[in-house]
């Protein structure tokens, strides 16, 4: 559902949507589902002819309820698979003559896992907020400034209940290894992302044939990822998954990671009589993922084009060949997307050793791994030559490109 409207000075757009999807699990055994609510609104207010302010708000709320898993044991039921993608004998019955869940040796029963093995949940609240200002102080100049904030809060819960194995007499003879001890794990993620953009455009046509456009801008981003997780085993009541209602080992984990990007960018376009085209782009970017001496890099690119179909000498055959354009480009593009946040820093890990000293497992700090002293931006250099053409009143169009790409 959506609504839109406004006046000369004010306009708005809002929308709301809801989706519900059921999973693959048999409904009689497990209620697997995903629900999501989306709300979005855009507001713009024209304070003066040359100044406009606006805001954008987007809220996405999702809930997922899905089957349990045993990541500490065999990771038998990963979220990106299905519980039926498991090693189960074709001769294994769902239930035995006593009415208990059937099994073959230590091979679990998927139906039992779905019905009594527990569950997992994930609740995600993802909010985006943007404020923006657009200025047009003179006809040829446009200035845009925007600031965005994103907060993604995720709550996860994993509950794994004990699943007994029965003998022919109907007695409990053991438990599936992945469910013993039973346990509950709660994990919270708090991800925050901030981005600021500011750029200005200047556009001008001189003597009716010389088109010129220039852009200059600045960009800064900062992201932070926080997580905390707690687990406890040996639930007092198998069907009640609360950390306070467990008597076994406690485990707690937390972590914080962050990165930042800062850069300036520019673009210049020139066209003469819509026949000869030139464009220059340049970015000067820095990232917190690399050491200070290798943090910033410059990535230029240039492209040229020739609209042959707009040349006077081409006019006699333009009815046959409607479009003909040659173009060439050369440029660099940087990439700082790597899995690690601080790859240039040697980090030491601490953990309990696998032996006892005076009855205890002491903590040990391990030597860090090797790190690269020259790690920096990945640079992709591309050269391209292309042709665009059109025939039959542009009803038949095509293009040809030859390029080389070198990644370092």
């Amino acid at each position: 559902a959506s609504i839109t409207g406004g006046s000369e000075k004010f306009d708005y757009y809002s929308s709301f949507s809801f989706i519900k999807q059921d999973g693959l699990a048999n409904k009689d055994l497990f209620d697997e589902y995903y629900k999501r609510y989306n709300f979005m609104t855009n507001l713009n207010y024209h304070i003066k002819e040359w100044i406009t302010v606006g805001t954008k708000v987007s809220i996405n709320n999702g809930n997922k309820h899905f089957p349990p898993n045993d990541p500490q044991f065999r990771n038998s039921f990963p979220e990106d698979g299905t519980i039926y993608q498991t090693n189960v004998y074709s001769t294994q019955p769902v239930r035995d003559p006593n009415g208990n869940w059937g099994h073959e040796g230590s091979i679990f029963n998927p139906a039992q896992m779905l019905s009594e093995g527990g569950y997992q949940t994930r609740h995600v609240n993802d909010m985006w907020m943007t404020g923006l200002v657009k200025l047009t102080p003179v006809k040829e100049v446009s200035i845009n400034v925007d600031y965005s904030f994103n907060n993604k809060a995720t709550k996860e819960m994993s509950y794994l209940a004990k699943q007994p194995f029965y003998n022919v007499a109907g007695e409990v003879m053991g438990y599936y290894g992945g469910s013993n001890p039973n346990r509950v794990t709660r994990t919270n993620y708090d991800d925050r992302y901030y981005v600021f953009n500011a750029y200005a455009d200047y556009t001008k046509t001189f003597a009716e044939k010389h088109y010129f456009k220039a852009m200059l801008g600045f960009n800064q981003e900062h992201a932070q990822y926080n997580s905390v997780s707690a687990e406890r085993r040996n639930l007092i009541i198998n069907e009640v998954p609360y950390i306070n209602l467990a008597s076994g080992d406690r485990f707690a984990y937390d972590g914080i990671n962050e990165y930042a990007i800062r850069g300036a960018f520019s673009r210049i376009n020139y066209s003469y009589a819509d026949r000869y085209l030139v464009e220059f782009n340049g970015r000067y970017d820095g990232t917190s993922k690399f050491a200070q001496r290798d943090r910033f890099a410059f990535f230029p690119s240039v492209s040229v084009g020739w609209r042959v179909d707009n040349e006077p000498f081409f006019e006699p055959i333009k009815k046959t060949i409607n479009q003909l354009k040659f173009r060439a480009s050369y440029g660099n593009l940087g990439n700082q997307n790597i899995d690690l946040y601080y790859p240039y820093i040697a980090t030491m890990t601490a953990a309990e050793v696998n032996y006892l000293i005076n009855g205890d497992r002491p903590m040990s700090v391990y030597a860090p791994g090797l790190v690269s002293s020259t790690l920096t931006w990945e640079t992709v250099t591309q050269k391209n030559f292309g042709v665009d053409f059109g025939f039959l009143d542009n009803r038949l169009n095509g293009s040809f490109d030859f390029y080389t790409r070198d990644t370092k």
Side-chain angles (χ1 to χ4, degrees), residues 117-178:
Y119 57 85
Q120 297 183 82
T121 62
R122 179 180 297 115
H123 174 77
V124 179
N125 190 53
D126 191 6
M127 179 185 67
W128 283 86
M129 299 181 65
T130 300
L132 55 92
V133 179
K134 182 176 182 179
L135 307 174
T136 53
V138 294
K139 182 179 179 181
E140 297 85 3
V141 177
S142 173
I143 302 173
N144 297 270
V145 179
D146 65 76
Y147 180 81
S148 297
F149 168 69
N150 170 232
N151 178 222
K152 184 178 180 181
T154 304
K155 295 181 179 180
E156 296 181 346
M157 188 262 221
S158 175
Y159 159 49
L160 191 61
K162 275 187 179 180
Q163 298 157 71
F165 289 156
Y166 299 91
N167 59 23
V168 294
E171 301 167 338
V172 175
M173 56 177 291
Y175 297 89
Y176 170 58

Side-chain angles (χ1 to χ4, degrees), residues 88-93:
V88 179
Y89 295 123
S90 60
T91 57
Q92 178 175 324

